[in-house]
Amino acid sequence: MAKYFTKQASLSELDELSKWIENDADKEEFIKYAKINHAIDFNMKKFGSDKSKKRLLQFIEQEKKAHKIRRALNYVKYAAVVLVFLGIGYFFRNGLPENKQGPIEEKANSPLVVDDKIKVGTDKAILTLEDGSQIDLEKGKTIRTKNVKSNGEELVYDSSHKRSAETAYNYLTIPRGGQFHVKLADGTLVWLNSESQLKYPVAFIEGETRNVELVYGEAYFEVSPSTVHKGATFKVLNVSQEIEVLGTEFNVKAYKDETNIYTTLVEGKVTISTATAKRVLEPDQQSNLDLKNNSISVNPANVIHETSWRKGLFSFKGKSLEEIAKVLSRWYDVDILFSSPELKTVKFNGVLSKEETIEEILNSILTTNFINAYEIKNKTITIK
């Protein structure tokens, strides 16, 4: 964690950290330190000049003699960064020692928040039933129909419900700023990311191919094996490709505003078919369907990074700010603009929590000196 927060972690160490925070208790520990680190970085940025930082650190050195600081040091001797946090906290209560050389310089380019109406994403979706009626799903709201129930965080279909002669389909639509989890009638689990839509039958016919359609967006599938469905395969359809599986885990990313469809295999084996090609994926491989020329390639993949969204994390490994902006736009339901085209190509590495506010995320990027400032006005962010 220390190497991550000080921007010294290698890519292999970032992978190790990603695995470690899959555990809920470790994730909470990471979030706690992330908030402390954010407070330090944000306030040091707010100070601005190197002279101000130097004076602050001198002041903290003096205050270390105080009993309160000594007690704090004993508690956090392996997290010295907290010392800076405590010093900053003291500064905001009491102010810096008198400066005979004039006031502290403020950084010209600093975050500007005119009117922040941006909320962190949450569990929410729109369920469209077979008769065309719609039900809003959200945290704290329970619903039940003859085929399905929801506790506000997941949707569960009745596995005992038998399909009628005419197939009945439901749609689950995830808006920007949302995510949701559904358990289909065959026991297959699907996690849907922001700005996604899944079409699926209310019930499956035993022994027949189980078809669902990822209309657009991103979804993680944990497919109920064919061995418990009389050998019936499971297919995920899309307008541009078809995925056939027997029982496995994989992630599909097929957003409307992107020109590539990525399928990442976690376990088992899947077959990717297009109008002109067919590829078989092994675990830790990813297919890339280029919609511009309809070509498909298969490459090694970092599964942890590709599926981290399901664990409540943003895992940006060598991503450009333009790519990152798309991810953030969907989760926080905002529009992100760049003051110059050059900023779009800047690369960033980092593992961040989806529970953080947009300002905390932006400040983490800001402290790397990849960007100079940002401005938030209503639901539009401008990167500078």
Side-chain angles (χ1 to χ4, degrees):
M1 285 195 295
K3 292 181 85 172
Y4 166 71
F5 288 128
T6 55
K7 320 300 178 194
Q8 298 178 56
S10 65
L11 292 180
S12 63
E13 287 168 333
L14 287 174
D15 289 342
E16 186 177 352
L17 178 62
S18 297
K19 292 177 183 177
W20 182 73
I21 54 183
E22 285 187 350
N23 178 279
D24 288 340
D26 294 335
K27 179 182 173 183
E28 286 300 316
E29 187 75 6
F30 177 82
I31 290 173
K32 180 180 72 175
Y33 278 93
K35 289 180 177 178
I36 292 173
N37 184 74
H38 160 68
I40 296 165
D41 285 339
F42 177 74
N43 287 299
M44 291 295 274
K45 275 287 180 184
K46 193 172 181 179
F47 273 3
S49 70
D50 292 336
K51 183 189 297 183
S52 300
K53 294 180 183 179
K54 184 177 180 180
R55 288 177 50 232
L56 173 65
L57 293 175
Q58 290 174 343
F59 173 65
I60 293 172
E61 191 65 29
Q62 296 171 1
E63 288 301 311
K64 282 198 295 186
K65 298 177 183 179
H67 177 65
K68 182 177 180 180
I69 297 298
R70 286 200 301 272
R71 287 181 60 193
L73 278 172
N74 288 333
Y75 179 70
V76 294
K77 59 182 178 181
Y78 296 115
V81 72
V82 177
L83 172 61
V84 183
F85 176 66
L86 292 170
I88 291 172
Y90 187 92
F91 160 74
F92 283 118
R93 289 193 303 272
N94 302 287
L96 280 174
E98 184 180 354
N99 177 20
K100 297 180 181 179
Q101 297 179 350
I104 295 174
E105 300 172 18
E106 290 294 336
K107 187 174 179 180
N109 293 323
S110 58
L112 175 62
V113 181
V114 178
D115 186 11
D116 187 358
K117 297 180 179 179
I118 302 170
K119 296 180 180 179
V120 176
T122 186
D123 294 321
K124 61 181 177 181
I126 300 170
L127 172 63
T128 305
L129 301 175
E130 52 269 35
D131 62 2
S133 61
Q134 294 186 335
I135 301 174
D136 290 332
L137 306 175
E138 57 187 28
K139 272 190 174 182
K141 180 179 179 180
T142 59
I143 66 105
R144 178 183 286 273
T145 72
K146 63 179 181 179
N147 302 323
V148 64
K149 62 182 179 180
S150 174
N151 61 2
E153 297 180 17
E154 66 174 353
L155 203 59
V156 179
Y157 280 81
D158 183 0
S159 60
S160 64
H161 180 73
K162 302 301 180 182
R163 197 171 86 172
S164 60
E166 185 176 346
T167 304
Y169 287 95
N170 283 182
Y171 287 83
L172 190 61
T173 305
I174 317 300
R176 297 213 311 177
Q179 62 182 10
F180 220 76
H181 174 226
V182 58
K183 181 178 181 180
L184 302 179
D186 69 334
T188 293
L189 304 177
V190 187
W191 288 262
L192 288 158
N193 207 347
S194 305
E195 204 169 14
S196 302
Q197 186 180 77
L198 183 71
K199 176 185 177 182
Y200 51 92
V202 173
F204 298 91
I205 293 180
E206 198 169 20
E208 293 190 9
T209 301
R210 297 165 286 160
N211 291 326
V212 302
E213 181 182 356
L214 181 61
V215 183
Y216 58 83
E218 184 170 22
Y220 184 98
F221 293 86
E222 188 175 312
V223 178
S224 179
S226 61
T227 52
V228 298
H229 299 285
K230 295 186 176 182
T233 58
F234 187 96
K235 289 186 177 182
V236 179
L237 310 177
N238 179 267
V239 68
S240 301
Q241 71 171 28
E242 178 183 291
I243 305 171
E244 182 175 353
V245 304
L246 297 177
T248 185
E249 294 186 35
F250 58 96
N251 192 83
V252 186
K253 185 179 179 183
Y255 279 106
K256 293 183 291 184
D257 60 350
E258 296 187 6
T259 57
N260 297 75
I261 296 178
Y262 299 95
T263 304
T264 308
L265 185 61
V266 179
E267 290 181 8
K269 183 180 290 186
V270 302
T271 301
I272 312 293
S273 301
T274 69
T276 58
K278 180 179 288 190
R279 297 286 188 274
V280 176
L281 290 188
E282 301 287 345
D284 299 324
Q285 288 186 333
Q286 180 184 76
S287 66
N288 177 1
L289 173 58
D290 188 333
L291 299 177
K292 291 180 179 178
N293 54 28
N294 203 34
S295 65
I296 186 169
S297 60
V298 175
N299 303 290
N302 187 313
V303 169
I304 292 175
H305 282 278
E306 295 296 330
T307 63
S308 62
W309 64 270
R310 189 171 69 90
K311 301 289 186 179
L313 298 170
F314 296 119
S315 185
F316 301 128
K317 184 179 181 181
K319 297 291 185 182
S320 69
L321 289 186
E322 184 176 29
E323 293 174 295
I324 292 172
K326 287 183 179 180
V327 175
L328 299 180
S329 293
R330 295 177 187 129
W331 181 239
Y332 294 97
D333 188 16
V334 296
D335 294 320
I336 299 181
L337 309 175
F338 293 88
S339 62
S340 64
E342 294 78 15
L343 286 170
K344 295 181 180 181
T345 60
V346 172
K347 303 290 186 181
F348 175 79
N349 283 305
V351 180
L352 305 168
S353 171
K354 292 175 70 176
E355 295 177 6
E356 292 186 78
T357 67
I358 189 64
E359 288 181 63
E360 289 173 321
I361 296 290
L362 293 172
N363 285 326
S364 294
I365 298 175
L366 186 65
T367 56
T368 64
N369 294 320
F370 288 149
I371 61 176
N372 292 321
Y374 63 84
E375 178 181 308
I376 300 177
K377 187 174 183 180
N378 293 323
K379 300 190 76 173
T380 299
I381 297 170
T382 303
I383 305 294
K384 301 179 180 182

